[in-house]
Amino acid sequence: MSQSEMLGPVEDAVGYVLKQAAVALRNAMDVALRPLHLTVPQYACLELLGQHPGLSNAELARGTFVTRQSMNVVLRGLEDRGLVTRPATAPRGRELPTVLTQAGLDHLRTASVAIHRIQKKMCADLTPAQQKELLEALTTCVRSLAGTP
């Protein structure tokens, strides 16, 4: 392996700094969500359901970056707390569409405000144009790794 093929200083590696940012974001979200007795996957599930009611377990798992098995645990916990509801039997196939209850919607509003504050803090030193460029660059990175145009 030649010197030009090696990573170099990790501080200059996009992937390394991206991981640092992801960990810092996750830690800040954990702190903000703890008083609401929510985990990041639970919050992400509520946020997705707030924007797309009726998603299935598989769709929620993909959207929150957890396995289907983990999503079952997340949904059971949210159901036990009265934040989401699912029918006892599937209206079609095996999919059980999940929806927020009023308590879930109220919880989501509070959590979403807290997470929005974190995002604002994270991007405070970026101009709106820089924020847009960052989002576009990260989206391009995702597409490149996924092999989609």
Side-chain angles (χ1 to χ4, degrees):
M1 181 180 333
S2 72
Q3 196 69 17
S4 65
E5 295 175 316
M6 294 181 62
L7 184 61
V10 292
E11 298 81 12
D12 295 337
V14 173
Y16 184 81
V17 177
L18 183 59
K19 181 64 176 179
Q20 280 183 309
V23 169
L25 176 60
R26 176 70 182 247
N27 289 342
M29 290 174 72
D30 284 336
V31 169
L33 294 170
R34 193 170 297 126
L36 302 172
H37 306 286
L38 288 175
T39 63
V40 172
Q42 287 173 328
Y43 161 72
C45 182
L46 293 178
E47 193 68 65
L48 281 172
L49 289 171
Q51 295 177 28
H52 307 283
L55 292 176
S56 69
N57 179 54
E59 292 166 323
L60 288 167
R62 279 190 298 277
T64 59
F65 312 106
V66 300
T67 65
R68 285 180 174 187
Q69 295 83 357
S70 294
M71 183 48 61
N72 278 328
V73 174
V74 168
L75 286 173
R76 229 175 294 121
L78 294 173
E79 259 186 312
D80 290 348
R81 292 174 57 193
L83 301 178
V84 301
T85 185
R86 295 186 288 176
T89 58
R92 65 176 197 275
R94 295 182 346 182
E95 292 181 0
L96 296 176
T98 307
V99 295
L100 294 176
T101 62
Q102 186 59 51
L105 187 56
D106 294 342
H107 224 63
L108 169 59
R109 285 187 185 118
T110 303
S112 193
V113 167
I115 299 306
H116 182 70
R117 278 191 211 117
I118 291 168
Q119 183 170 310
K120 281 182 69 173
K121 180 179 180 182
M122 180 177 69
C123 296
D125 293 332
L126 300 173
T127 67
Q130 289 173 317
Q131 290 178 43
K132 184 178 181 200
E133 288 174 25
L134 176 60
L135 184 59
E136 289 170 355
L138 291 172
T139 300
T140 299
C141 290
V142 170
R143 285 188 188 128
S144 295
L145 289 174
T148 57

